[in-house]
Amino acid sequence: MLTKQVKQLLLTIVGQENYDDSKVECLVYSYDATPGFQAMPDAVIKPGSTAEVAAIVKVCNEYNVPIVPRGSGTNLSGGTCPTEGGLVLLFNRMNSLLEIDEENLTATVQPGLITLDLISAVEEKGLFYPPDPSSMKISTIGGNINENSGGLRGLKYGVTRDYVIGLEVVLPNGDIIRTGGKLAKDVAGYDLTKLFVGSEGTLGIVTEATLKLIPMPETTKTMLALYQDLDAAAQSVAKIISNKIIPVTLEFLDRPTLIVVEDFAKIGLPTNVEAVLLIEQDGPPEVVERDMKRMADICLEEKAVSVEIAETESDAVALKTARRTALSALARLKPTTILEDATVPRSEIAKMVRAINEIADKHNVDICTFGHAGDGNLHPTCITDARDHEEMERVELAFADIFAAAIDLGGTITGEHGVGAMKAPYIEWKLKKEGIDAMRAIKQAFDPNSIMNPGKVFAKETRKRVVVST
């Protein structure tokens, strides 16, 4: 519990209306989108400016109060669960699009801005912000930055890190720094901007971001390639890239996922094939036409049973929307849906999918697989029931085997969901002890009192989906 002295100091900063330590409010912010994982904060606070954030942090640093910065809570690794209590910082009052600079092709935003609102605003000016996490309708830019979020367009355009060129950050001692800016080149000192992106709120609090924009593509086309063989689908992915074609989107869905998504979206997706590739390309019309024809030929050469190009924009949107609803569709099947991510070189996708299926059989659990085939990022998703403790133990063992398989294939334990609390037990598998020690040294340098989102990222002995405290 926060002492009366600390509470009074915080109230002085933000006012009673922006501070709440009631059990009801704390319960609301005790969990994120991670199934079966929860921890109660001591209070929730809503700063309205960078100055207020800095003042809050100074108080917390002085009195050793943990701080967890939080966006919309769509993250999937327990990253915004306050596992050591303390304060949850919300950015509802810091949600403005401050500027769209058409001369420098940048947008300056506050962390609470909804991702889709930014995308829509810049598109009205003929500009493009490519990062498109599936949660973009509700996720915030601050959350995207903390998690280095990806999306369907990541193959061609990259992820959030590739578009963050400047930050305003409140450090754990309350100091305010600015990194980067509206610059095409800047090598003055360490690249602190990139260090903070993906740091999961463990090094500081982002209070403003300058984002790179690019011109809107002239045209877009989408197609669906159907396969009765997983290896053929994977080989198509590798051959498309080796032919020096980089599509915007190159998505994979296995048959179990297809069946569920079609039942949910009802747009006519085939459910009698083993896998589909959803492929999209954008750019000048002549380039798109050339690339789509070549990719269609490659898919047919690699034994696709059918290749269909969406005839209308509405058809294309329906296909992409159906892919984005995969998690929602799967969540209808059982009370608990655990969506994970593991990334392998794209040449190893077929091996990874087979490994996932074998692991599911080994542990007698139900796993559907979909994901970003073009960049090797797969999302094995387990349909289960957290009330069945024996089954949940098997689920956790299955995911441990999946992460190990990904590493054995030259991959990693997470491509876009972050480490948070849930993947902390496995991060040393990837980084080894020396890598963990280097990260701890950075954390200690920035946050010697360990108040910034403590209990996240660094290796732990076990991974448990439990209510930590209530």
Side-chain angles (χ1 to χ4, degrees):
M1 295 292 291
L2 299 179
T3 66
K4 290 182 179 180
Q5 182 182 9
V6 170
K7 177 176 178 178
Q8 190 55 50
L9 290 169
L10 296 172
L11 288 172
T12 301
I13 296 167
V14 298
Q16 181 65 61
E17 68 277 13
N18 296 307
Y19 175 94
D20 198 329
D21 57 8
S22 68
K23 188 168 185 178
V24 170
E25 186 75 357
C26 288
L27 183 63
V28 169
Y29 295 101
S30 65
Y31 57 90
D32 52 28
T34 309
F37 194 77
Q38 185 177 20
M40 291 284 280
D42 294 310
V44 177
I45 196 165
K46 302 175 184 178
S49 67
T50 299
E52 288 187 1
V53 173
I56 291 166
V57 171
K58 286 179 180 177
V59 170
C60 290
N61 195 48
E62 180 178 355
Y63 292 93
N64 287 305
V65 176
I67 304 174
V68 181
R70 178 187 172 105
S72 295
T74 57
N75 46 293
L76 291 157
S77 60
T80 54
C81 292
T83 52
E84 298 187 19
L87 281 184
V88 169
L89 262 70
L90 303 180
F91 295 94
N92 311 51
R93 300 172 62 211
M94 297 177 65
N95 61 354
S96 297
L97 171 52
L98 301 174
E99 178 191 48
I100 298 175
D101 185 339
E102 296 183 69
E103 292 184 350
N104 290 301
L105 294 183
T106 64
T108 303
V109 308
Q110 291 183 310
L113 181 66
I114 299 297
T115 310
L116 186 59
D117 290 347
L118 169 66
I119 291 171
S120 300
V122 300
E123 286 185 356
E124 288 180 4
K125 295 183 177 293
L127 299 173
F128 190 36
Y129 179 71
D132 62 334
S134 293
S135 59
M136 63 184 181
K137 290 183 179 180
I138 54 173
S139 67
T140 65
I141 294 296
N144 294 171
I145 291 171
N146 277 344
E147 297 293 330
N148 189 27
S149 300
L152 272 65
R153 298 192 286 234
L155 172 59
K156 182 172 183 176
Y157 289 109
V159 295
T160 299
R161 176 182 287 120
D162 301 304
Y163 296 87
V164 180
I165 57 176
L167 291 173
E168 179 184 75
V169 179
V170 176
L171 298 179
N173 65 357
D175 286 351
I176 301 168
I177 65 169
R178 283 189 172 270
T179 72
K182 299 179 182 180
L183 304 167
K185 294 180 178 180
D186 182 3
V187 293
Y190 297 150
D191 191 345
L192 295 177
T193 305
K194 295 297 187 286
L195 177 62
F196 284 109
V197 179
S199 64
E200 303 189 35
T202 62
L203 300 178
I205 299 172
V206 173
T207 51
E208 188 179 296
T210 301
L211 308 173
K212 178 176 71 175
L213 307 176
I214 60 177
M216 272 287 289
E218 293 179 49
T219 188
T220 301
K221 282 204 169 183
T222 304
M223 71 180 181
L224 204 63
L226 316 182
Y227 295 85
Q228 292 294 3
D229 183 272
L230 288 175
D231 287 305
Q235 185 56 34
S236 296
V237 172
K239 192 169 182 179
I240 286 169
I241 304 300
S242 67
N243 271 261
K244 301 178 178 61
I245 303 172
I246 306 296
V248 177
T249 297
L250 187 42
E251 296 289 300
F252 167 88
L253 294 89
D254 69 2
R255 185 176 184 179
T257 308
L258 277 171
I259 292 170
V260 176
V261 169
E262 172 56 22
D263 183 61
F264 180 75
K266 292 182 170 52
I267 62 168
L269 286 172
T271 57
N272 60 345
V273 294
E274 291 303 312
V276 304
L277 294 179
L278 173 64
I279 306 172
E280 180 180 80
Q281 183 60 300
D282 67 7
E286 63 276 12
V287 173
V288 173
E289 289 291 339
R290 181 197 67 201
D291 286 352
M292 292 297 280
K293 182 180 186 309
R294 183 63 188 124
M295 287 190 288
D297 290 343
I298 288 171
C299 292
L300 292 171
E301 290 166 9
E302 295 301 324
K303 299 183 176 60
V305 296
S306 172
V307 177
E308 299 179 7
I309 296 177
E311 294 184 0
T312 66
E313 176 62 21
S314 61
D315 289 341
V317 169
L319 288 173
K320 289 180 286 186
T321 300
R323 161 59 185 87
R324 293 185 193 279
T325 62
L327 176 57
S328 300
L330 290 167
R332 302 163 71 216
L333 299 184
K334 285 188 177 180
T336 306
T337 305
I338 302 175
L339 171 67
E340 280 292 1
D341 79 319
T343 302
V344 296
R346 61 176 66 93
S347 59
E348 305 293 341
I349 287 174
K351 290 181 183 177
M352 189 64 203
V353 172
R354 282 199 299 273
I356 291 169
N357 292 338
E358 290 169 3
I359 290 166
D361 289 341
K362 171 186 172 183
H363 294 284
N364 190 27
V365 294
D366 296 322
I367 296 180
C368 300
T369 302
F370 59 95
H372 317 302
D375 51 28
N377 184 204
L378 295 174
H379 293 310
T381 304
C382 188
I383 313 303
T384 183
D385 187 339
R387 295 168 297 185
D388 186 337
H389 300 297
E390 187 274 332
E391 182 173 83
M392 286 298 292
E393 289 182 5
R394 287 187 279 111
V395 169
E396 296 299 348
L397 290 172
F399 278 122
D401 284 353
I402 287 170
F403 301 145
I407 292 172
D408 287 344
L409 290 170
T412 185
I413 62 171
T414 176
E416 60 185 7
H417 290 177
V419 176
M422 300 311 297
K423 291 192 176 179
Y426 313 115
I427 189 170
E428 193 167 326
W429 295 1
K430 172 63 179 175
L431 299 180
K432 310 304 181 189
K433 179 181 182 300
E434 295 79 5
I436 296 294
D437 288 345
M439 285 176 49
R440 285 190 187 279
I442 294 171
K443 169 72 169 173
Q444 177 66 21
F446 276 91
D447 184 20
N449 293 328
S450 194
I451 64 166
M452 292 303 309
N453 205 6
K456 309 298 166 54
V457 177
F458 297 102
K460 297 180 179 179
E461 293 182 359
T462 59
R463 149 176 160 151
K464 293 182 179 178
R465 295 177 185 274
V466 297
V467 175
V468 178
S469 59
T470 51

